[in-house]
Amino acid sequence: MAADNGIGPIRRTIPSFAETRAQSPIRIRRSNSHSQLLTVMQTTNQAGQQAAQQVPRFIKTLNASTKWLVTLGNTIGVWSRPRRYHGPYIVVGSIAAVYLTQVLKKLINQSRPADAPFADPGMPSSHSLVSFFAAVGWIGSLGNCYGDLVGKVSLLAAAAAVALLRVVCGYHSVPQIAVGAALGSILGRSWIVLGNLLHMSNPRLLLIAAWAAYLSGSA
């Protein structure tokens, strides 16, 4: 039996480096901070999910149907005046605006609200941009009589409703639809100005090109 030289008890009473590190106040504070962060994130996600669940079902249904309503409105506008270039020209521009919005989203890369069910970036809102693009485009094709003025107001109101529904449903923030509305309005007006210039240069060619692009895009 080996003699006890007194070193064994001393070693047993001195904590190891791993034990000291495990009991370090800094490590404890880091652990507590991490737990608090997780708690805050879970609380935020739960609040976002509860807010999304509180949106009435008919609002969500209306929001989901806006793309079909916009498509129906554009189709009626196009085929109600088949001898004018404005309808197919505006629709083709709206399709191009959709692709432009996707590029801008990737470049800006701003997240949607925390409770949004989509993971892709949200700046700018594509629904807002395209709705205002089409609305301003159709406004540019109308005259100045009373009926046309009512139509202009209705178009802007419809575009605003489409954009606001995205916020109410939690899919976008207010700045995201505001930027989309501003860009869509500017691009829509610029598209109509370009169309007017092309029409003055060669109206028949513009009519044929607009209808060809519209029909090929609809196929």
Side-chain angles (χ1 to χ4, degrees), residues 22-209:
Q23 297 175 0
S24 172
I26 296 177
R27 190 174 184 85
I28 293 174
R29 284 197 296 268
R30 287 179 179 176
S31 178
N32 291 339
S33 300
H34 184 65
S35 300
Q36 292 174 358
L37 179 60
L38 289 177
T39 302
V40 171
M41 292 176 62
Q42 292 174 355
T43 303
T44 303
N45 291 335
Q46 291 175 358
Q49 293 175 358
Q50 291 176 358
Q53 293 174 355
Q54 291 175 358
V55 178
R57 179 172 296 181
F58 80 92
I59 294 293
K60 291 186 176 181
T61 302
L62 180 61
N63 173 73
S65 64
T66 53
K67 60 181 180 181
W68 304 111
L69 295 175
V70 170
T71 302
L72 177 62
N74 283 325
T75 303
I76 294 174
V78 168
W79 291 100
S80 62
R81 299 185 296 180
R83 295 186 178 182
R84 300 187 63 180
Y85 77 91
H86 298 88
Y89 180 78
I90 292 170
V91 172
V92 170
S94 300
I95 296 173
V98 172
Y99 290 102
L100 175 62
T101 308
Q102 299 305 318
V103 173
L104 291 176
K105 283 185 175 183
K106 292 181 180 180
L107 290 176
I108 300 174
N109 196 28
Q110 184 183 94
S111 301
R112 294 172 182 262
D115 56 326
F118 309 110
D120 63 314
M123 173 65 83
S125 166
S126 57
H127 282 72
S128 179
L129 191 151
V130 176
S131 296
F132 275 90
F133 180 100
V136 172
W138 283 110
I139 287 173
S141 69
L142 299 176
N144 294 319
C145 65
Y146 176 77
D148 289 338
L149 292 176
V150 173
K152 292 178 180 181
V153 173
S154 300
L155 286 168
L156 287 177
V162 171
L164 289 174
L165 280 172
R166 306 299 290 178
V167 175
V168 173
C169 292
Y171 301 157
H172 287 285
S173 64
V174 173
Q176 289 171 353
I177 67 165
V179 172
L183 286 177
S185 300
I186 294 172
L187 292 174
R189 182 57 186 169
S190 301
W191 187 248
I192 287 297
V193 170
L194 176 61
N196 291 335
L197 294 174
L198 294 175
H199 184 261
M200 288 189 295
S201 175
N202 194 329
R204 183 173 179 79
L205 178 60
L206 176 60
L207 179 64
I208 294 174

